[in-house]
DNA sequence: GACAAATGTCATTAC
DNA sequence: AAGTAATGACATTTG
C-alpha cells in the first residue's frame, strides 16, 4: 500500500505540475508532507562543496527541513519545489486534486460549447461513438459549461473562436460522420488546448470580486458527477486516445490533434504518423527542449496551429498563453519529470500492482516516479542523464542479473553474493557530483545518478550508461574489487552511504567474517574520507579563489586611492597658487600709513573664524639654525 | 620518462 | 566510546 501510495504521490506531482501549467492550482503539499521530505535552503556558507547528506537520517526529522543545502542533489528537488511554489504563486483557486485532474478532460466541453454548431456536431459524433452513457451525460455536461461560458463572456474568446474552432468547423464540414473517430480525437486534443485558456480565464474571473456568479460557475463545473468523468474517460478511450486519459499526457493530446489537423485525405496516414510521433515523443520526451524540437514535434506543431497550449513543453507561445507565469525552467522540469515518468508510472502501476510481485514492487519503489535528480548529467558520465531516463526499465534487468554495482564478472560470483534486497535503508546517491570520472575509480562502482529523495533499495539501481552497456563492465575500483573478492553483497556506494545504524545492522545480521567486517569498515571509512577530501579540497579552492578576489579588490582599491591622492595634491597645489595670487592682488591694492603698498613678502592675509579677512605680517621662523646663522652672517658680510 | 594536476588514502584532531 | 567531518601529508593515477 505504501508503494501504491508512493506511485500515486509521484504521479500526483507530475499531474499537479501539468495541471498547474493550465492555471489549475493544486495543493499537494499537505499530502506530500506526510511522505516526502520537504527541504529547506539553509545558508551555511558560500561553499558548495560535496557533502554527504544523511537524507536517511533527516527524512523523518523536522519534515526534512534540515537537509544540508550543499548536497548537489538538492538542486533538482529544489527546482521541483520552486516549480510548485511558482505554480502556487499563480494565484489560482484551490480545489481537490483528483477532480482537478479530470478537469483536464472535462473542460474540453468548453471548447464544444464555444465553437458553435459545427463543433457541437463534432461533439455529437464524438459522443455517439462513446456509448449511451456518454450520450446521457452530454445532456448536462456541455450545458453546464455553456452556461459558464455564456455568463463569462471572456471565456468564449481566444483562439478557439477565431482559429481553432474555425479550423474544426471547416474540417467537420468536409468530413461528416465517417470521420467520427479522428474528429473526436481532434476535438478532445484540441479541447485540451482550449480548456487551458478557458480555465485561465475562468480563474481570472474567479478572482474578480465583481463577478460573484463565477463562484457558482466553478461550483457547477466542479459538481460534475463522477459518472460524467468516467464517461468522458470512456469517450476518450473509444476515441483511441487513451493516452490522454491514462497518462494525462498533453503531449499525446497534441500528437493526436496533430493527426486530426492534418490533411483530411491523408487521415489514415496522419493517424499512423501520429502513432509514430507518439512513440517518438515518448522516446525523446526527456530530452526535448525548446531549441532542439524534434522533427516529430515540428511536424506536430506545423499540423497543429494551436498546439502551443497543448504542448506545454515545447512551444514558447504557451508561455504567453499562460500569462508568462512559468519560465523556461518550468518547461524543462516538466520535460524531465513529467511525461516520461507518467508513462512509466502508469505502466508500472498497471503491471507491478497487479502482479504483486514483491521483488518487482521493490524494484519499482527504487527508482520510479519523481526522478528529479536522475536527469542531471553529473561529472560521472556524460550519459548519466540518459541513464536516468531509462532507469525504470533497466533496473529490472539489473536486478535480475544480481548484485548491482558489480562488474560483468558478477556472473562468476557465488550465488551467496547476491544482494540482499531486504535491506530498507535509504541511499543517497552522490555519485553525480562526488564520484568524479576518474578512471581508476570507475563510476561503475558507484552507479549512475539515482533517486535522491527518500527511497528504498539502491540495490535496484540501474547500472547502465547511455550506450546501454553495463557500467560494471568497466574497470572497478580497488575497494570494489576487494568487496567482490570477499563476496561482500553490497556496493561501495551502498556501504558508504548506508546510515550507520543500518551499517551496523548489516554487519551483525550477515554473519560476516572478521575480514569481511574489516573490509566493510575500511570501505566505508575510505569512501567517506574520499568524500571529505573532495569536500575539503573544494573548500580550499573556494577559499583560495575568494582570497584572490579579495586581493584583486584590495589592489584596485589601493590604486584608486593613490589616484585620488594625486588628484587631491594637484588640486591643493592649484588652490594654493590661486590663494597666493589673490593675496598678492589684495595686498597690492592696500596701502600702509605711508601710502605704500603692502609687501606680499612681509604681509599676508588671514581669514578668521568669523569670516573676516585681516592683514597680518608674515611670521618668520624665530628659530635660528646654524644654517640660518651662516646665512645671516653672509648677509651681514655682504652689507659690510 | 618527467611533470603537474587531480584524486585517493592514511593519520590525526576535533566535535 | 563510536562515528564522522576536516585536513595535512603522502601515494597514486592521469594527461
Amino acid at each position: 500500500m505504501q508503494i501504491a501510495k508512493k506511485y500515486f504521490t509521484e504521479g500526483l506531482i507530475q499531474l499537479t505540475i501539468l495541471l498547474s501549467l493550465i492555471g489549475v492550482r493544486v495543493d499537494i503539499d499537505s499530502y506530500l508532507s506526510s511522505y516526502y521530505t520537504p527541504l529547506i535552503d539553509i545558508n551555511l556558507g558560500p561553499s558548495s562543496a560535496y557533502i554527504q547528506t544523511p537524507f536517511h537520517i533527516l527524512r523523518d526529522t523536522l519534515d526534512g527541513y534540515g537537509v544540508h543545502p550543499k548536497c548537489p542533489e538538492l538542486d533538482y528537488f529544489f527546482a521541483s519545489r520552486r516549480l510548485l511554489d511558482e505554480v502556487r504563486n499563480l494565484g489560482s483557486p484551490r480545489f481537490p486534486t483528483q477532480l482537478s485532474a479530470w478537469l483536464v478532460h472535462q473542460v474540453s466541453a468548453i471548447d464544444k460549447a464555444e465553437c458553435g454548431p459545427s463543433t457541437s456536431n463534432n461533439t455529437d459524433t464524438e459522443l455517439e461513438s462513446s456509448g449511451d452513457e456518454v450520450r446521457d451525460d452530454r445532456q448536462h455536461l456541455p450545458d453546464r459549461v455553456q452556461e459558464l461560458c455564456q455568463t463569462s463572456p471572456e471565456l468564449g474568446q481566444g483562439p478557439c473562436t477565431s482559429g481553432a474552432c474555425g479550423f474544426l468547423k471547416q474540417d467537420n464540414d468536409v468530413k461528416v460522420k465517417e470521420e467520427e473517430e479522428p474528429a473526436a480525437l481532434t476535438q478532445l486534443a484540441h479541447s485540451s488546448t482550449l480548456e487551458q485558456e478557458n480555465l485561465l480565464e475562468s480563474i481570472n474571473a474567479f478572482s474578480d470580486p465583481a463577478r460573484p456568479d463565477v463562484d457558482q460557475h466553478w461550483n457547477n463545473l466542479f459538481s460534475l458527477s463522477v459518472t460524467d468523468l468516467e464517461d468522458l474517460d470512456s469517450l476518450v478511450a473509444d476515441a483511441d486516445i487513451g493516452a490522454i486519459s491514462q497518462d494525462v499526457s498533453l503531449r499525446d493530446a497534441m500528437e493526436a490533434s496533430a493527426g486530426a489537423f492534418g490533411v483530411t485525405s491523408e487521415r489514415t496516414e496522419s493517424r499512423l504518423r501520429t502513432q509514430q510521433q507518439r512513440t517518438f515523443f515518448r522516446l525523446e520526451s526527456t530530452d526535448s527542449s525548446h531549441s532542439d524540437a524534434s522533427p516529430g514535434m515540428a511536424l506536430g506543431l506545423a499540423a497543429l496551429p494551436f498546439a502551443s497550449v497543448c504542448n506545454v513543453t515545447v512551444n514558447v507561445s504557451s508561455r504567453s498563453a499562460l500569462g508568462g507565469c512559468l519560465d523556461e525552467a518550468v518547461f524543462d522540469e516538466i520535460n524531465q519529470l513529467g511525461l516520461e515518468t507518467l508513462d512509466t508510472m502508469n505502466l508500472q502501476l498497471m503491471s507491478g500492482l497487479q502482479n504483486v510481485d514483491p521483488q518487482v514492487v521493490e524494484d519499482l519503489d527504487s527508482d520510479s516516479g519523481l526522478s528529479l535528480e536522475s536527469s542531471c548529467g553529473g561529472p560521472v558520465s556524460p550519459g548519466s542523464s540518459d541513464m536516468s531516463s531509462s532507469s525504470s526499465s533497466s533496473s529490472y534487468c539489473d536486478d535480475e542479473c544480481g548484485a548491482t554495482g558489480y562488474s560483468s564478472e558478477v556472473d562468476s560470483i557465488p550465488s551467496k553474493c547476491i544482494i540482499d534486497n531486504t535491506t530498507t535503508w535509504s541511499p543517497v546517491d552522490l555519485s553525480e557530483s562526488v564520484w568524479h570520472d576518474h578512471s581508476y575509480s570507475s563510476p561503475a562502482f558507484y552507479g549512475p545518478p539515482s533517486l535522491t529523495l527518500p527511497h528504498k533499495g539502491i540495490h535496484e539501481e540501474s547500472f547502465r550508461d547511455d550506450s546501454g552497456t553495463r557500467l560494471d563492465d568497466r574497470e572497478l575500483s580497488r575497494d570494489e574489487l576487494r568487496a567482490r573478492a570477499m563476496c561482500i553483497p553490497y556496493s561501495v556506494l551502498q556501504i558508504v552511504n548506508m546510515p550507520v545504524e543500518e551499517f551496523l545492522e548489516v554487519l551483525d545480521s550477515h554473519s560476516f567474517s572478521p575480514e569481511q567486517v574489516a573490509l566493510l569498515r575500511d570501505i566505508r571509512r575510505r569512501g567517506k574520507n574520499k568524500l571529505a577530501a573532495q569536500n575539503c579540497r573544494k573548500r580550499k579552492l573556494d577559499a583560495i579563489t575568494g582570497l584572490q578576489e579579495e586581493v584583486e579588490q584590495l589592489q584596485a582599491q589601493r590604486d584608486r586611492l593613490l589616484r585620488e591622492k594625486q588628484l587631491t595634491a594637484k588640486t591643493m597645489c592649484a588652490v594654493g597658487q590661486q590663494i597666493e595670487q589673490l593675496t598678492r592682488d589684495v595686498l597690492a591694492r592696500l596701502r600702509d600709513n605711508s601710502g605704500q603698498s603692502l609687501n606680499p613678502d612681509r604681509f599676508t592675509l588671514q581669514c578668521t573664524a568669523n569670516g573676516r579677512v585681516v592683514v597680518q605680517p608674515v611670521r618668520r621662523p624665530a628659530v635660528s639654525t646654524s644654517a640660518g646663522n651662516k646665512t645671516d652672517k653672509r648677509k651681514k658680510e655682504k652689507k659690510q
Side-chain angles (χ1 to χ4, degrees), chain A residues 2 36 44 64 72 84 91 125 170 172 208 224 239 335 352 376 421 437 478 484 487 524 565 618 624 631:
Chain A
Q2 178 71 9
Y36 278 126
L44 295 181
L84 291 175
T125 59
Q170 294 175 0
N172 292 330
D208 188 359
L224 298 175
N335 263 338
C376 173
N421 285 297
D437 190 10
R478 288 191 290 265
R484 282 185 46 214
C487 285
R524 184 176 176 85
K565 179 184 176 183
V618 175
S624 59
T631 304

Side-chain angles (χ1 to χ4, degrees), chain A residues 56-57 498-508 524:
Chain A
H56 40 73
I57 298 175
M498 200 182 290
V500 59
E501 296 84 3
E502 192 71 27
F503 180 70
L504 296 175
E505 183 179 344
V506 166
L507 292 181
D508 295 337
R524 184 176 176 85

Side-chain angles (χ1 to χ4, degrees), chain A residues 5 26-35 88 94 97:
Chain A
K5 178 183 178 182
V26 179
D27 185 15
I28 63 172
D29 196 31
S30 58
Y31 176 77
L32 294 181
S33 61
S34 62
Y35 184 79
R88 294 190 182 100
R94 294 167 178 260
T97 300

Side-chain angles (χ1 to χ4, degrees), chain A residues 69-119:
Chain A
K70 292 180 179 178
C71 179
E73 299 165 273
L74 294 183
D75 295 340
Y76 286 85
F77 194 82
F78 284 144
S80 64
R81 287 192 63 82
R82 175 181 57 79
L83 180 61
L84 291 175
D85 292 338
E86 291 179 2
V87 162
R88 294 190 182 100
N89 290 333
L90 294 177
S92 307
R94 294 167 178 260
F95 41 81
T97 300
Q98 186 66 31
L99 186 56
S100 304
W102 284 106
L103 283 175
V104 173
H105 312 290
Q106 189 69 42
V107 189
S108 62
I110 295 175
D111 181 19
K112 304 164 190 173
E114 295 170 352
C115 293
S118 62
T119 45

Side-chain angles (χ1 to χ4, degrees), chain A residues 250-263:
Chain A
L250 297 176
R251 186 189 298 268
D252 285 347
M254 183 213 73
E255 294 157 7
S257 179
F261 274 116
V263 181

Side-chain angles (χ1 to χ4, degrees), chain A residues 239-265:
Chain A
D240 194 22
I241 52 174
I244 296 178
S245 61
Q246 294 180 4
D247 299 340
V248 199
S249 173
L250 297 176
R251 186 189 298 268
D252 285 347
M254 183 213 73
E255 294 157 7
S257 179
F261 274 116
V263 181
T264 55
S265 61

